[in-house]
Structures are given as structure tokens and as C-alpha cells.
Amino acid sequence: MAKQERLGDKPTPEEYLRAIICAPIYEVAKKTELQEMPKLSERLGNTILVKREDNQPVHSFKIRGAYAMMSQLSDEEKARGIITASAGNHAQGVALAGKNLGLKPIIVMPKVTPDIKIDAVKNFGGKVVLHGANFDEAKAYAIEKAQKDQMTFVPPFDSPAVIAGQGTIGLELIQQYAHLDMIFVPVGGGGLAAGVSVLIKQLMPHIKVIGVEPKDAACLKAAFDANQPTTLERVSLFAEGVAVKRIGDETFRLCKEFLDDVTLVDSDEICAALKDIFDDVRAVGEPSGALALAGLKKYVQQNNITKKNLVHVLSGANMNFHTLRYVSERAEIGEQREALFVVTIPEEKGSFLRFCKILGNRSVTEFSYRYSKLAKDQKNDAKIFVGIRLMNGLTEKNEILNLFTKNNLNATDLSNNDMTKTHLRYMMGGRVNQKIKEKIFSFEFPEASGALVLFLETLGSSCNITLFHYRSHGADYGRVLCGFENKDEDIDMYLSKIGYSYREETQNIALEFFVK
């Protein structure tokens, strides 16, 4: 084996190539399988392959970068102690790497980290320290402690050694299948995208490397637009493994030079990709793990790609089992197999029957209605919420909308309205029977014991709550829809106290139909 190099702050492409080739990761990691996805290949008209990083000992690719960096530390650096911060996969990678190197690293994790992830780190030999309400606070504490106690900090992505470790995936891919046309990789902090692209562009530059990000956590796209790393105000927690507010400096430098393109996907498209992976290879990925496939499917559709050899990296499978309920519900919409509408029909006997006859033989997946009697001088119309199974995607959805128009029914497509999919389709009740000044907000917060109580204690004692909806999906985050009576008070002042991410939804069109 060639001698492993210590990389400087900004290595040359040639230095990265040597570091990737010489990375001793197989002392702990494995060369993962490359499998074909026959069902999806036939459907998309391309050969679709999946790189099974979910089969690593820590069920994610993160072990590669963690071990690549930690294995090159000097005896003095190891003796000073190892520390990192993570809420998931990187933590397990560092813990297992430490175990194989005879070290007991300190892993700083947010206080809201689920027990399943804490236990996994402990089982790999890591010492867990819980600190802060989120990853950013945990990371700040870990860096502060590393500086104070002169410990060695292991970054999750923005380190040349870590990037080189992740780049070994690219080397394996061209060894396993030399006829690739495109490689799709998930992007969080950018370590995987940087490592794979810098390797591929030196050895087989004709292969395109495409980065994939969630629309609501697109830190690389924001950096490309600004021509420098920039910090996002908020990121969604659904794909927790890539919920990064700011791309790394070194990862951005490499992605800017070597990455061919970046594409964005939403949560529904990720859920549909999770279902595709399960259907084809019977693997249960995590949301960030299926991100690359979601991007592949979208890129193929947008660019009319056919008869190509395309691979995506299934980057991890540390899935909370109960999250599958949410995934199952959203996958059909993500694959355009279900449409959601609000339709206005006359508030009179026989209206439901006439409406169902208009739909014909189509399968209704959901139907919600609540009686609404107005004053005598007002027209009594009923607002119904209906889900319809689609056999022909967007084309059929447009046909249904035209069918409603032809029958003089006012209908609005809510299939892409997140408020509808997250809250309204599960809510009971109706409009308030008096006029009130009201503001409505949606919240997203790390799910943990006491999180909901903290929310209510902070806001419930300060503001008059007019609407409240919370439904646990068994995920690592909670979603709340909450209305407040607006008495010319500074509601934002109270909202800032809670420390959770929020967005005002008062003008959301879905609320106009059923709530306001």
C-alpha cells in the first residue's frame, strides 16, 4: 500500500487523487455493492444503478471520511483526544473509527437527539455529550472545547482528509462499472460531492457528476448563486442528514470547479424515491439516502435523457421506523399518483352523489366535508376536500380539473400545497363563527420529550391560541400549525422566545377554504 499523504488546506487535484487512492478506509469500511434497479430502469428508459452505502457497518458512507482523517493523525494528536459534533451518521462514523484505532472520541450531540442515535454511538464506543438545542449549538460547543482543551476536532465534511475519504466511492464506481454516463450524489455539507467529482474529473472526465439538494436546504445552490458560501436562514429537518445551512469552504471550492450541475427536489419526490428503492432492491433508506435518486428521476425527466447508464448513491439507511408512515403518505403525491383538490359544490341534498358520478370510475383516496350553514341571505356552498388516485400523472390531473370546469364546479388543485398535505387533510372542525383578527404560523422543531410542552408553555401563556394542529409522524422533528388572536401585540417577540423555526401562513390559499 502506498504511503498516505497529509493534505494541506487547499490540495491540488493531483494531491486529492493520490489521497483517495491511498486512503486506508478498508481497514474498517467495505467496498459496497453496485446493484441494478430493473423496474425503475424500464420505467425511465435508462439503466439505473444504486451504490449501496447503506450496507456500511454504520449504515452510511460517513465512515469513509471519518476513518480517512482519523487514521492519519499523529500519536500526539490522538493523545490529546478526539472530539466532533453530529446528530447522526457522522457521529457513528467517528465512533466506529475511534474504536478501530483504539480511541474513545467525544461526540457532542444536541439535547433533542433521539435515543436510537445516542445508543448507536455508545455501542460503537463513543462518549456522548448532550449540549444545545440544535446541531449548530452542539458544533459551536465542540469547537470551543477542542480549542480550550487542545483536542483534535473531526469535521463532518469541510476537511481535505474527510473529502478524500468520501471520494473513494467514486473510485469504486468506475472500477465496478466503467460505462457510466452520470453519477448523482446527495449534497449536505458537500464532502461527498466534492470527493467524488474531483476524482471522476481526473480519471474519467466524460462522466457527469450531478449534486442533488432538498429545495428547503439548498446551501450549495445558494452558494453558486452568490458565488461564495452563504448561510441559509432556515433548513427543513425532513432529510436530516443533509440539513446544512452553509456549504463548506473547501467543498464549495471543489464543487464549483468539478461538479457538473446541481438539481433540487422536494420532500414528496424524496418519499417517492424511497418507495422506488424499496420496490427494486428491498432496501429501506433514510430520506437523505434517497435524495440522489429523487434528483436522478427529476433530471432524466427535465432533460429527456434516455439509454444512458446512471448511478445514484444510497448514502444512508439510519431511518426511524415510524417515519415510514409519513413516507408512505407522501410517496403517491411525489410520484404524481394522487391529486388533492378543494371543490365547491351546492350545499343541498344529492350533491355528493352528483359529484361522485362526475368522477366516474376514478378511485377516491380521501373525502372530507363538514356542514356549513350560513345566514339566509348568503349562498350556501359546501367546500369538500377530495383525494383522487391518478393513473396518468399530470395529464390526468389536468383532465380532472377540466372536468370540474365543464360541470360548473369551482375547483383548486392543492396537490403541491404543503399546508394541505401536512395539516389540513388531518384536521377536524371548520370556520370560526365570528370575525377575529388572526395570524397563523407553521412551526418545525426537533422532536423530543418535552418539546411540545415547551412550545405550549412559551406561547400559550403569552398569546390567545385560536387554532392548533399537531400530528406526530414518528420522525425526528415535529410540525405544528398554530393560530393566534392578533390584538395588535408584537407576536414576533413571543415567537422568537421559542427558538423554533417558523413561517407565517396567514395568506396560504388552503386556509382560505377551510379555516379562515
Side-chain angles (χ1 to χ4, degrees), residues 244-512:
V244 177
K245 289 186 176 181
R246 187 182 189 278
I247 199 76
D249 292 328
E250 177 65 0
T251 56
F252 173 68
R253 183 179 76 88
L254 294 172
C255 287
K256 183 180 178 181
E257 182 174 356
F258 297 108
L259 199 64
D260 289 287
D261 204 352
V262 61
T263 188
L264 309 183
V265 296
D266 60 30
S267 295
D268 293 346
E269 290 166 328
I270 294 173
C271 291
L274 283 165
K275 184 176 184 297
D276 288 324
I277 292 170
F278 178 80
D279 287 346
D280 249 320
V281 298
R282 292 299 185 266
V284 180
E286 61 185 280
S288 58
L291 182 63
L293 177 58
L296 182 157
K297 292 167 61 182
K298 190 167 190 174
Y299 206 81
V300 164
Q301 182 182 35
Q302 290 178 336
N303 296 279
N304 297 315
I305 297 170
T306 58
K307 299 181 180 179
K308 298 293 183 180
N309 299 313
L310 314 176
V311 64
H312 66 96
V313 179
L314 174 49
S315 58
N318 287 303
M319 166 79 91
N320 183 325
F321 179 80
H322 298 290
T323 303
L324 291 173
R325 176 172 61 177
Y326 175 89
V327 171
S328 176
E329 291 172 354
R330 300 293 279 261
E332 293 299 288
I333 295 177
E335 202 58 70
Q336 295 187 355
R337 293 189 184 123
E338 183 186 28
L340 303 177
F341 302 98
V342 57
V343 184
T344 302
I345 64 175
E347 182 70 271
E348 60 186 29
K349 293 180 180 179
S351 288
F352 283 174
L353 178 59
R354 288 194 295 273
F355 175 79
C356 290
K357 287 183 177 180
I358 289 172
L359 291 178
N361 294 325
R362 290 184 172 88
S363 175
V364 174
T365 59
E366 189 165 348
F367 197 105
S368 298
Y369 158 75
R370 187 176 186 274
Y371 179 71
S372 178
K373 183 70 174 176
L374 302 178
K376 291 183 179 180
D377 59 344
Q378 292 179 288
K379 183 180 180 180
N380 282 290
D381 287 330
K383 298 285 192 300
I384 62 172
F385 179 81
V386 61
I388 301 173
R389 189 171 304 284
L390 304 177
M391 302 302 292
N392 194 22
L394 184 61
T395 300
E396 185 176 2
K397 184 167 70 171
N398 290 332
E399 290 175 357
I400 294 172
L401 282 169
N402 291 333
L403 189 62
F404 290 149
T405 301
K406 182 179 178 180
N407 286 273
N408 299 315
L409 296 176
N410 185 19
T412 301
D413 178 16
L414 295 179
S415 305
N416 295 321
N417 187 288
D418 192 65
M419 170 66 61
T420 299
K421 294 178 286 188
T422 302
H423 295 289
L424 286 184
R425 72 186 304 177
Y426 306 110
M427 291 176 64
M428 296 287 289
R431 302 169 184 266
V432 292
N433 58 10
Q434 57 181 317
K435 289 186 177 181
I436 61 171
K437 295 176 67 176
E438 185 181 34
K439 285 189 174 183
I440 300 175
F441 297 85
S442 61
F443 296 83
E444 188 174 89
F445 55 86
E447 186 65 278
S449 177
L452 189 57
V453 173
L454 173 63
F455 179 93
L456 293 171
E457 285 180 343
T458 304
L459 295 180
S461 60
S462 306
C463 309
N464 181 33
I465 294 179
T466 58
L467 174 151
F468 193 88
H469 180 256
Y470 167 78
R471 182 172 184 262
S472 172
H473 290 284
D476 297 339
Y477 65 100
R479 298 283 292 270
V480 165
L481 181 67
C482 193
F484 304 97
E485 186 174 4
N486 182 16
K487 295 183 178 180
D488 298 321
E489 295 176 322
D490 186 2
I491 295 178
D492 288 332
M493 178 184 70
Y494 296 115
L495 297 178
S496 63
K497 292 181 180 180
I498 196 67
Y500 296 153
S501 177
Y502 68 91
R503 178 190 291 120
E504 184 169 359
E505 305 281 5
T506 308
Q507 303 303 321
N508 191 303
I509 189 173
L511 298 176
E512 296 288 340

Side-chain angles (χ1 to χ4, degrees), residues 7 14 53 78 100 129 142 148 172 174 185 262 295 344 346 364 402 477-478 487 493:
L7 296 172
E14 293 78 13
E53 286 299 291
K78 294 176 182 177
N100 279 264
V129 174
K148 179 182 177 182
E172 288 179 18
I174 58 178
V185 293
V262 61
T344 302
V364 174
N402 291 333
Y477 65 100
K487 295 183 178 180
M493 178 184 70

Side-chain angles (χ1 to χ4, degrees), residues 70-311:
M70 292 170 64
S71 63
Q72 69 176 19
L73 297 176
S74 66
D75 292 339
E76 180 185 354
E77 289 171 318
K78 294 176 182 177
R80 291 203 302 263
I82 308 298
I83 189 169
T84 193
S86 172
N89 293 341
H90 177 62
Q92 296 177 54
V94 171
L96 181 57
K99 182 178 181 180
N100 279 264
L101 293 169
L103 306 172
K104 194 173 181 65
I106 294 176
I107 317 291
V108 183
M109 309 182 81
K111 291 181 179 179
V112 295
T113 303
D115 290 341
I116 187 174
K117 294 183 178 181
I118 296 173
D119 292 341
V121 172
K122 289 180 178 178
N123 289 338
F124 285 126
K127 179 182 178 182
V128 175
V129 174
L130 299 178
H131 182 90
N134 52 51
F135 168 72
D136 291 320
E137 292 182 11
K139 180 182 176 183
Y141 174 79
I143 293 176
E144 179 184 354
K145 184 172 177 59
Q147 294 172 344
K148 179 182 177 182
D149 298 339
Q150 295 186 325
M151 302 179 70
T152 301
F153 180 75
V154 181
F157 48 82
D158 202 23
S159 159
V162 172
I163 292 169
Q166 319 301 27
T168 57
I169 290 178
L171 186 60
E172 288 179 18
L173 284 173
I174 58 178
Q175 290 172 339
Q176 292 171 310
Y177 198 88
H179 305 292
L180 291 175
D181 294 299
M182 292 185 179
I183 299 172
F184 291 81
V185 293
V187 178
L192 178 58
V196 171
S197 61
V198 72
L199 179 283
I200 292 295
K201 291 305 174 182
Q202 290 179 88
L203 298 183
M204 302 188 76
H206 65 279
I207 299 177
K208 289 188 176 181
V209 183
I210 313 296
V212 187
E213 293 186 288
K215 286 181 178 178
D216 43 14
C219 63
L220 178 57
K221 178 63 165 57
F224 280 156
D225 292 342
N227 201 32
Q228 63 181 0
T230 183
T231 302
L232 301 178
E233 183 177 345
R234 66 185 298 273
V235 294
S236 171
L237 298 175
F238 173 61
E240 180 268 336
V242 291
V244 177
K245 289 186 176 181
R246 187 182 189 278
I247 199 76
D249 292 328
E250 177 65 0
T251 56
F252 173 68
R253 183 179 76 88
L254 294 172
C255 287
K256 183 180 178 181
E257 182 174 356
F258 297 108
L259 199 64
D260 289 287
D261 204 352
V262 61
T263 188
L264 309 183
V265 296
D266 60 30
S267 295
D268 293 346
E269 290 166 328
I270 294 173
C271 291
L274 283 165
K275 184 176 184 297
D276 288 324
I277 292 170
F278 178 80
D279 287 346
D280 249 320
V281 298
R282 292 299 185 266
V284 180
E286 61 185 280
S288 58
L291 182 63
L293 177 58
L296 182 157
K297 292 167 61 182
K298 190 167 190 174
Y299 206 81
V300 164
Q301 182 182 35
Q302 290 178 336
N303 296 279
N304 297 315
I305 297 170
T306 58
K307 299 181 180 179
K308 298 293 183 180
N309 299 313
L310 314 176
V311 64

Side-chain angles (χ1 to χ4, degrees), residues 49-82:
L49 303 160
V50 54
K51 180 64 168 167
R52 295 291 304 275
E53 286 299 291
D54 58 306
N55 284 337
Q56 290 289 0
V58 296
H59 304 294
S60 90
F61 75 99
K62 286 289 190 176
I63 183 61
R64 295 175 181 263
Y67 193 81
M69 177 179 178
M70 292 170 64
S71 63
Q72 69 176 19
L73 297 176
S74 66
D75 292 339
E76 180 185 354
E77 289 171 318
K78 294 176 182 177
R80 291 203 302 263
I82 308 298

